mmCIF file of all heavy atoms in Angstrom:
data_model
loop_
_atom_site.group_PDB
_atom_site.id
_atom_site.type_symbol
_atom_site.label_atom_id
_atom_site.label_comp_id
_atom_site.label_asym_id
_atom_site.label_seq_id
_atom_site.Cartn_x
_atom_site.Cartn_y
_atom_site.Cartn_z
ATOM 1 N N ARG A 23 84.188 161.211 155.183
ATOM 2 C CA ARG A 23 85.523 160.713 154.886
ATOM 3 C C ARG A 23 86.197 160.164 156.132
ATOM 4 O O ARG A 23 86.889 159.177 156.088
ATOM 5 C CB ARG A 23 86.390 161.813 154.280
ATOM 6 C CG ARG A 23 86.301 161.859 152.780
ATOM 7 C CD ARG A 23 87.296 162.840 152.211
ATOM 8 N NE ARG A 23 86.552 164.038 151.849
ATOM 9 C CZ ARG A 23 86.734 165.243 152.365
ATOM 10 N NH1 ARG A 23 87.669 165.449 153.237
ATOM 11 N NH2 ARG A 23 86.001 166.251 151.989
ATOM 12 N N GLY A 24 85.983 160.775 157.261
ATOM 13 C CA GLY A 24 86.622 160.337 158.493
ATOM 14 C C GLY A 24 85.905 159.188 159.180
ATOM 15 O O GLY A 24 86.426 158.617 160.124
ATOM 16 N N ALA A 25 84.730 158.809 158.732
ATOM 17 C CA ALA A 25 83.929 157.812 159.425
ATOM 18 C C ALA A 25 84.352 156.380 159.136
ATOM 19 O O ALA A 25 84.045 155.490 159.892
ATOM 20 C CB ALA A 25 82.455 157.984 159.051
ATOM 21 N N ARG A 26 85.040 156.157 158.043
ATOM 22 C CA ARG A 26 85.390 154.784 157.682
ATOM 23 C C ARG A 26 86.662 154.325 158.359
ATOM 24 O O ARG A 26 87.574 155.109 158.596
ATOM 25 C CB ARG A 26 85.559 154.678 156.182
ATOM 26 C CG ARG A 26 84.235 154.844 155.488
ATOM 27 C CD ARG A 26 84.246 154.137 154.171
ATOM 28 N NE ARG A 26 82.913 154.177 153.639
ATOM 29 C CZ ARG A 26 82.626 154.504 152.409
ATOM 30 N NH1 ARG A 26 83.585 154.805 151.585
ATOM 31 N NH2 ARG A 26 81.397 154.512 152.004
ATOM 32 N N MET A 27 86.714 153.014 158.625
ATOM 33 C CA MET A 27 87.903 152.421 159.219
ATOM 34 C C MET A 27 88.919 152.185 158.102
ATOM 35 O O MET A 27 88.553 151.827 156.991
ATOM 36 C CB MET A 27 87.524 151.085 159.860
ATOM 37 C CG MET A 27 88.580 150.548 160.777
ATOM 38 S SD MET A 27 88.173 148.969 161.504
ATOM 39 C CE MET A 27 86.533 149.165 162.072
ATOM 40 N N SER A 28 90.173 152.401 158.398
ATOM 41 C CA SER A 28 91.188 152.193 157.368
ATOM 42 C C SER A 28 91.296 150.713 157.032
ATOM 43 O O SER A 28 91.187 149.859 157.896
ATOM 44 C CB SER A 28 92.538 152.722 157.855
ATOM 45 O OG SER A 28 92.994 151.955 158.935
ATOM 46 N N ASN A 29 91.499 150.408 155.766
ATOM 47 C CA ASN A 29 91.605 149.017 155.335
ATOM 48 C C ASN A 29 92.941 148.403 155.739
ATOM 49 O O ASN A 29 93.062 147.204 155.874
ATOM 50 C CB ASN A 29 91.438 148.927 153.811
ATOM 51 C CG ASN A 29 90.031 149.246 153.395
ATOM 52 O OD1 ASN A 29 89.108 149.087 154.171
ATOM 53 N ND2 ASN A 29 89.869 149.704 152.174
ATOM 54 N N GLY A 30 93.963 149.234 155.935
ATOM 55 C CA GLY A 30 95.281 148.718 156.264
ATOM 56 C C GLY A 30 95.339 148.056 157.633
ATOM 57 O O GLY A 30 95.928 147.001 157.793
ATOM 58 N N ASN A 31 94.740 148.664 158.648
ATOM 59 C CA ASN A 31 94.799 148.135 160.001
ATOM 60 C C ASN A 31 93.467 148.377 160.709
ATOM 61 O O ASN A 31 93.317 149.342 161.458
ATOM 62 C CB ASN A 31 95.954 148.788 160.771
ATOM 63 C CG ASN A 31 96.173 148.123 162.109
ATOM 64 O OD1 ASN A 31 95.556 147.118 162.424
ATOM 65 N ND2 ASN A 31 97.060 148.692 162.890
ATOM 66 N N PRO A 32 92.480 147.505 160.488
ATOM 67 C CA PRO A 32 91.156 147.730 161.069
ATOM 68 C C PRO A 32 91.129 147.610 162.589
ATOM 69 O O PRO A 32 90.217 148.096 163.224
ATOM 70 C CB PRO A 32 90.284 146.661 160.416
ATOM 71 C CG PRO A 32 91.223 145.612 159.975
ATOM 72 C CD PRO A 32 92.512 146.311 159.665
ATOM 73 N N ALA A 33 92.134 147.003 163.199
ATOM 74 C CA ALA A 33 92.133 146.814 164.647
ATOM 75 C C ALA A 33 92.782 147.981 165.396
ATOM 76 O O ALA A 33 92.792 147.981 166.626
ATOM 77 C CB ALA A 33 92.843 145.517 164.991
ATOM 78 N N ALA A 34 93.303 148.989 164.691
ATOM 79 C CA ALA A 34 93.976 150.106 165.350
ATOM 80 C C ALA A 34 93.039 150.860 166.290
ATOM 81 O O ALA A 34 93.439 151.277 167.374
ATOM 82 C CB ALA A 34 94.555 151.051 164.311
ATOM 83 N N PHE A 35 91.792 151.033 165.876
ATOM 84 C CA PHE A 35 90.791 151.707 166.709
ATOM 85 C C PHE A 35 90.647 150.993 168.048
ATOM 86 O O PHE A 35 90.581 151.633 169.102
ATOM 87 C CB PHE A 35 89.452 151.721 165.960
ATOM 88 C CG PHE A 35 88.310 152.302 166.741
ATOM 89 C CD1 PHE A 35 88.072 153.665 166.725
ATOM 90 C CD2 PHE A 35 87.462 151.487 167.466
ATOM 91 C CE1 PHE A 35 87.020 154.200 167.433
ATOM 92 C CE2 PHE A 35 86.404 152.013 168.173
ATOM 93 C CZ PHE A 35 86.179 153.379 168.156
ATOM 94 N N PHE A 36 90.622 149.672 168.006
ATOM 95 C CA PHE A 36 90.437 148.887 169.227
ATOM 96 C C PHE A 36 91.717 148.839 170.057
ATOM 97 O O PHE A 36 91.659 148.814 171.280
ATOM 98 C CB PHE A 36 89.945 147.489 168.878
ATOM 99 C CG PHE A 36 88.599 147.524 168.214
ATOM 100 C CD1 PHE A 36 88.484 147.500 166.832
ATOM 101 C CD2 PHE A 36 87.447 147.618 168.963
ATOM 102 C CE1 PHE A 36 87.261 147.560 166.223
ATOM 103 C CE2 PHE A 36 86.205 147.682 168.365
ATOM 104 C CZ PHE A 36 86.106 147.658 166.994
ATOM 105 N N ALA A 37 92.862 148.841 169.398
ATOM 106 C CA ALA A 37 94.139 148.833 170.116
ATOM 107 C C ALA A 37 94.295 150.106 170.950
ATOM 108 O O ALA A 37 94.816 150.056 172.067
ATOM 109 C CB ALA A 37 95.292 148.689 169.140
ATOM 110 N N GLN A 38 93.828 151.237 170.443
ATOM 111 C CA GLN A 38 93.892 152.495 171.187
ATOM 112 C C GLN A 38 93.078 152.420 172.470
ATOM 113 O O GLN A 38 93.373 153.109 173.432
ATOM 114 C CB GLN A 38 93.368 153.653 170.341
ATOM 115 C CG GLN A 38 94.262 154.024 169.194
ATOM 116 C CD GLN A 38 93.631 155.102 168.344
ATOM 117 O OE1 GLN A 38 92.424 155.345 168.393
ATOM 118 N NE2 GLN A 38 94.460 155.760 167.548
ATOM 119 N N ARG A 39 92.046 151.592 172.478
ATOM 120 C CA ARG A 39 91.156 151.483 173.638
ATOM 121 C C ARG A 39 91.411 150.212 174.454
ATOM 122 O O ARG A 39 90.619 149.863 175.306
ATOM 123 C CB ARG A 39 89.712 151.512 173.162
ATOM 124 C CG ARG A 39 89.323 152.890 172.655
ATOM 125 C CD ARG A 39 88.133 152.849 171.746
ATOM 126 N NE ARG A 39 87.763 154.181 171.315
ATOM 127 C CZ ARG A 39 88.374 154.858 170.349
ATOM 128 N NH1 ARG A 39 89.389 154.315 169.707
ATOM 129 N NH2 ARG A 39 87.984 156.062 170.025
ATOM 130 N N ASN A 40 92.506 149.528 174.158
ATOM 131 C CA ASN A 40 92.876 148.279 174.852
ATOM 132 C C ASN A 40 91.777 147.219 174.770
ATOM 133 O O ASN A 40 91.485 146.534 175.743
ATOM 134 C CB ASN A 40 93.246 148.549 176.312
ATOM 135 C CG ASN A 40 94.470 149.404 176.425
ATOM 136 O OD1 ASN A 40 95.397 149.277 175.630
ATOM 137 N ND2 ASN A 40 94.487 150.288 177.400
ATOM 138 N N ILE A 41 91.171 147.089 173.596
ATOM 139 C CA ILE A 41 90.155 146.076 173.344
ATOM 140 C C ILE A 41 90.768 145.048 172.404
ATOM 141 O O ILE A 41 91.231 145.398 171.315
ATOM 142 C CB ILE A 41 88.889 146.680 172.699
ATOM 143 C CG1 ILE A 41 88.286 147.739 173.619
ATOM 144 C CG2 ILE A 41 87.873 145.596 172.389
ATOM 145 C CD1 ILE A 41 87.159 148.532 172.985
ATOM 146 N N GLN A 42 90.771 143.796 172.815
ATOM 147 C CA GLN A 42 91.342 142.740 171.991
ATOM 148 C C GLN A 42 90.427 142.504 170.786
ATOM 149 O O GLN A 42 89.234 142.275 170.938
ATOM 150 C CB GLN A 42 91.478 141.458 172.801
ATOM 151 C CG GLN A 42 92.225 140.375 172.085
ATOM 152 C CD GLN A 42 92.449 139.162 172.969
ATOM 153 O OE1 GLN A 42 92.049 139.142 174.122
ATOM 154 N NE2 GLN A 42 93.095 138.166 172.420
ATOM 155 N N ALA A 43 91.004 142.544 169.575
ATOM 156 C CA ALA A 43 90.200 142.450 168.359
ATOM 157 C C ALA A 43 90.699 141.365 167.414
ATOM 158 O O ALA A 43 90.330 141.356 166.248
ATOM 159 C CB ALA A 43 90.178 143.799 167.654
ATOM 160 N N GLU A 44 91.521 140.444 167.887
ATOM 161 C CA GLU A 44 91.999 139.381 167.017
ATOM 162 C C GLU A 44 90.880 138.368 166.786
ATOM 163 O O GLU A 44 90.044 138.132 167.640
ATOM 164 C CB GLU A 44 93.205 138.653 167.640
ATOM 165 C CG GLU A 44 94.460 139.490 167.704
ATOM 166 C CD GLU A 44 94.499 140.394 168.921
ATOM 167 O OE1 GLU A 44 93.858 140.041 169.931
ATOM 168 O OE2 GLU A 44 95.124 141.454 168.843
ATOM 169 N N ARG A 45 90.909 137.765 165.628
ATOM 170 C CA ARG A 45 89.968 136.718 165.222
ATOM 171 C C ARG A 45 88.502 137.165 165.250
ATOM 172 O O ARG A 45 87.611 136.371 165.505
ATOM 173 C CB ARG A 45 90.155 135.453 166.072
ATOM 174 C CG ARG A 45 91.510 134.813 165.806
ATOM 175 C CD ARG A 45 91.667 133.551 166.575
ATOM 176 N NE ARG A 45 92.025 133.901 167.946
ATOM 177 C CZ ARG A 45 91.921 133.103 168.983
ATOM 178 N NH1 ARG A 45 91.472 131.894 168.824
ATOM 179 N NH2 ARG A 45 92.276 133.485 170.176
ATOM 180 N N ILE A 46 88.280 138.443 165.020
ATOM 181 C CA ILE A 46 86.922 138.974 164.909
ATOM 182 C C ILE A 46 86.759 139.471 163.479
ATOM 183 O O ILE A 46 87.609 140.204 162.976
ATOM 184 C CB ILE A 46 86.680 140.119 165.911
ATOM 185 C CG1 ILE A 46 86.859 139.610 167.340
ATOM 186 C CG2 ILE A 46 85.288 140.708 165.729
ATOM 187 C CD1 ILE A 46 86.767 140.681 168.397
ATOM 188 N N PRO A 47 85.687 139.061 162.787
ATOM 189 C CA PRO A 47 85.494 139.481 161.397
ATOM 190 C C PRO A 47 85.443 141.009 161.262
ATOM 191 O O PRO A 47 84.975 141.713 162.151
ATOM 192 C CB PRO A 47 84.144 138.861 161.009
ATOM 193 C CG PRO A 47 83.916 137.783 162.000
ATOM 194 C CD PRO A 47 84.620 138.178 163.252
ATOM 195 N N ASN A 48 85.918 141.501 160.122
ATOM 196 C CA ASN A 48 85.966 142.947 159.893
ATOM 197 C C ASN A 48 84.594 143.604 159.934
ATOM 198 O O ASN A 48 84.475 144.732 160.406
ATOM 199 C CB ASN A 48 86.666 143.263 158.569
ATOM 200 C CG ASN A 48 88.171 143.171 158.677
ATOM 201 O OD1 ASN A 48 88.721 143.234 159.770
ATOM 202 N ND2 ASN A 48 88.827 143.014 157.551
ATOM 203 N N ASN A 49 83.547 142.907 159.448
ATOM 204 C CA ASN A 49 82.217 143.515 159.478
ATOM 205 C C ASN A 49 81.731 143.716 160.914
ATOM 206 O O ASN A 49 81.073 144.698 161.231
ATOM 207 C CB ASN A 49 81.211 142.706 158.668
ATOM 208 C CG ASN A 49 80.986 141.314 159.221
ATOM 209 O OD1 ASN A 49 81.885 140.694 159.799
ATOM 210 N ND2 ASN A 49 79.786 140.798 159.044
ATOM 211 N N VAL A 50 82.102 142.811 161.812
ATOM 212 C CA VAL A 50 81.736 142.947 163.229
ATOM 213 C C VAL A 50 82.545 144.082 163.854
ATOM 214 O O VAL A 50 82.005 144.891 164.615
ATOM 215 C CB VAL A 50 81.966 141.618 163.987
ATOM 216 C CG1 VAL A 50 81.732 141.793 165.477
ATOM 217 C CG2 VAL A 50 81.060 140.538 163.426
ATOM 218 N N LEU A 51 83.831 144.171 163.514
ATOM 219 C CA LEU A 51 84.664 145.256 164.029
ATOM 220 C C LEU A 51 84.137 146.613 163.577
ATOM 221 O O LEU A 51 84.123 147.568 164.354
ATOM 222 C CB LEU A 51 86.115 145.087 163.584
ATOM 223 C CG LEU A 51 86.894 143.933 164.206
ATOM 224 C CD1 LEU A 51 88.289 143.855 163.604
ATOM 225 C CD2 LEU A 51 86.967 144.071 165.713
ATOM 226 N N GLU A 52 83.716 146.701 162.332
ATOM 227 C CA GLU A 52 83.186 147.960 161.806
ATOM 228 C C GLU A 52 81.908 148.366 162.560
ATOM 229 O O GLU A 52 81.750 149.514 162.960
ATOM 230 C CB GLU A 52 82.913 147.836 160.309
ATOM 231 C CG GLU A 52 82.307 149.064 159.676
ATOM 232 C CD GLU A 52 83.255 150.252 159.631
ATOM 233 O OE1 GLU A 52 84.468 150.067 159.717
ATOM 234 O OE2 GLU A 52 82.751 151.389 159.516
ATOM 235 N N LYS A 53 81.012 147.416 162.763
ATOM 236 C CA LYS A 53 79.766 147.720 163.479
ATOM 237 C C LYS A 53 80.066 148.094 164.930
ATOM 238 O O LYS A 53 79.500 149.052 165.462
ATOM 239 C CB LYS A 53 78.822 146.523 163.421
ATOM 240 C CG LYS A 53 77.457 146.824 163.973
ATOM 241 C CD LYS A 53 76.477 145.715 163.694
ATOM 242 C CE LYS A 53 75.098 146.073 164.201
ATOM 243 N NZ LYS A 53 74.132 145.015 163.957
ATOM 244 N N ALA A 54 80.973 147.364 165.574
ATOM 245 C CA ALA A 54 81.351 147.665 166.955
ATOM 246 C C ALA A 54 81.994 149.045 167.043
ATOM 247 O O ALA A 54 81.721 149.813 167.969
ATOM 248 C CB ALA A 54 82.294 146.597 167.486
ATOM 249 N N ARG A 55 82.831 149.391 166.065
ATOM 250 C CA ARG A 55 83.480 150.692 166.051
ATOM 251 C C ARG A 55 82.459 151.814 165.973
ATOM 252 O O ARG A 55 82.557 152.825 166.673
ATOM 253 C CB ARG A 55 84.468 150.802 164.883
ATOM 254 C CG ARG A 55 85.290 152.090 164.919
ATOM 255 C CD ARG A 55 85.965 152.379 163.601
ATOM 256 N NE ARG A 55 85.028 152.565 162.508
ATOM 257 C CZ ARG A 55 84.328 153.686 162.293
ATOM 258 N NH1 ARG A 55 84.444 154.701 163.080
ATOM 259 N NH2 ARG A 55 83.508 153.774 161.268
ATOM 260 N N LYS A 56 81.452 151.643 165.133
ATOM 261 C CA LYS A 56 80.400 152.659 165.004
ATOM 262 C C LYS A 56 79.635 152.821 166.314
ATOM 263 O O LYS A 56 79.346 153.937 166.742
ATOM 264 C CB LYS A 56 79.450 152.294 163.869
ATOM 265 C CG LYS A 56 80.048 152.467 162.503
ATOM 266 C CD LYS A 56 79.072 152.063 161.429
ATOM 267 C CE LYS A 56 79.685 152.182 160.050
ATOM 268 N NZ LYS A 56 78.763 151.777 158.993
ATOM 269 N N ILE A 57 79.298 151.702 166.946
ATOM 270 C CA ILE A 57 78.563 151.757 168.210
ATOM 271 C C ILE A 57 79.411 152.422 169.289
ATOM 272 O O ILE A 57 78.922 153.288 170.030
ATOM 273 C CB ILE A 57 78.113 150.346 168.640
ATOM 274 C CG1 ILE A 57 77.065 149.811 167.659
ATOM 275 C CG2 ILE A 57 77.560 150.359 170.057
ATOM 276 C CD1 ILE A 57 76.706 148.347 167.876
ATOM 277 N N ILE A 58 80.685 152.036 169.387
ATOM 278 C CA ILE A 58 81.583 152.631 170.391
ATOM 279 C C ILE A 58 81.715 154.134 170.161
ATOM 280 O O ILE A 58 81.661 154.926 171.108
ATOM 281 C CB ILE A 58 82.964 151.952 170.372
ATOM 282 C CG1 ILE A 58 82.846 150.513 170.873
ATOM 283 C CG2 ILE A 58 83.964 152.724 171.221
ATOM 284 C CD1 ILE A 58 84.084 149.669 170.658
ATOM 285 N N GLY A 59 81.864 154.533 168.914
ATOM 286 C CA GLY A 59 81.969 155.961 168.598
ATOM 287 C C GLY A 59 80.739 156.725 169.041
ATOM 288 O O GLY A 59 80.837 157.822 169.602
ATOM 289 N N LYS A 60 79.563 156.165 168.813
ATOM 290 C CA LYS A 60 78.328 156.835 169.222
ATOM 291 C C LYS A 60 78.200 156.889 170.743
ATOM 292 O O LYS A 60 77.780 157.901 171.300
ATOM 293 C CB LYS A 60 77.123 156.132 168.599
ATOM 294 C CG LYS A 60 77.033 156.364 167.105
ATOM 295 C CD LYS A 60 75.863 155.653 166.492
ATOM 296 C CE LYS A 60 75.833 155.885 164.989
ATOM 297 N NZ LYS A 60 74.706 155.201 164.350
ATOM 298 N N ILE A 61 78.575 155.809 171.411
ATOM 299 C CA ILE A 61 78.522 155.803 172.873
ATOM 300 C C ILE A 61 79.493 156.842 173.433
ATOM 301 O O ILE A 61 79.165 157.556 174.390
ATOM 302 C CB ILE A 61 78.821 154.388 173.420
ATOM 303 C CG1 ILE A 61 77.634 153.473 173.131
ATOM 304 C CG2 ILE A 61 79.120 154.426 174.914
ATOM 305 C CD1 ILE A 61 77.874 152.023 173.466
ATOM 306 N N GLU A 62 80.667 156.957 172.839
ATOM 307 C CA GLU A 62 81.648 157.953 173.296
ATOM 308 C C GLU A 62 81.158 159.379 173.062
ATOM 309 O O GLU A 62 81.567 160.300 173.756
ATOM 310 C CB GLU A 62 82.991 157.732 172.610
ATOM 311 C CG GLU A 62 83.719 156.514 173.106
ATOM 312 C CD GLU A 62 85.007 156.228 172.357
ATOM 313 O OE1 GLU A 62 85.268 156.875 171.314
ATOM 314 O OE2 GLU A 62 85.745 155.342 172.813
ATOM 315 N N ARG A 63 80.280 159.571 172.074
ATOM 316 C CA ARG A 63 79.714 160.899 171.821
ATOM 317 C C ARG A 63 78.485 161.174 172.682
ATOM 318 O O ARG A 63 77.888 162.235 172.571
ATOM 319 C CB ARG A 63 79.372 161.050 170.345
ATOM 320 C CG ARG A 63 80.597 161.222 169.472
ATOM 321 C CD ARG A 63 80.248 161.638 168.060
ATOM 322 N NE ARG A 63 79.391 160.704 167.360
ATOM 323 C CZ ARG A 63 79.806 159.657 166.650
ATOM 324 N NH1 ARG A 63 81.089 159.408 166.553
ATOM 325 N NH2 ARG A 63 78.951 158.868 166.047
ATOM 326 N N GLY A 64 78.073 160.211 173.503
ATOM 327 C CA GLY A 64 76.984 160.467 174.446
ATOM 328 C C GLY A 64 75.662 159.782 174.158
ATOM 329 O O GLY A 64 74.701 159.979 174.894
ATOM 330 N N VAL A 65 75.582 158.978 173.101
ATOM 331 C CA VAL A 65 74.350 158.244 172.821
ATOM 332 C C VAL A 65 74.189 157.145 173.872
ATOM 333 O O VAL A 65 75.158 156.487 174.243
ATOM 334 C CB VAL A 65 74.380 157.637 171.398
ATOM 335 C CG1 VAL A 65 73.138 156.805 171.124
ATOM 336 C CG2 VAL A 65 74.526 158.732 170.361
#
Side-chain angles (χ1 to χ4, degrees):
R23 270 187 257 118
R26 291 207 172 133
M27 194 181 313
S28 66
N29 291 335
N31 188 6
F35 176 87
F36 297 96
Q38 290 176 342
R39 290 159 178 79
N40 296 323
I41 300 172
Q42 188 175 0
E44 291 84 26
R45 294 183 280 162
I46 299 175
N48 282 340
N49 63 328
V50 174
L51 290 177
E52 177 68 21
K53 188 170 183 181
R55 187 196 61 78
K56 288 179 182 179
I57 293 172
I58 292 169
K60 289 179 181 180
I61 288 173
E62 288 176 351
R63 286 191 301 272
V65 177

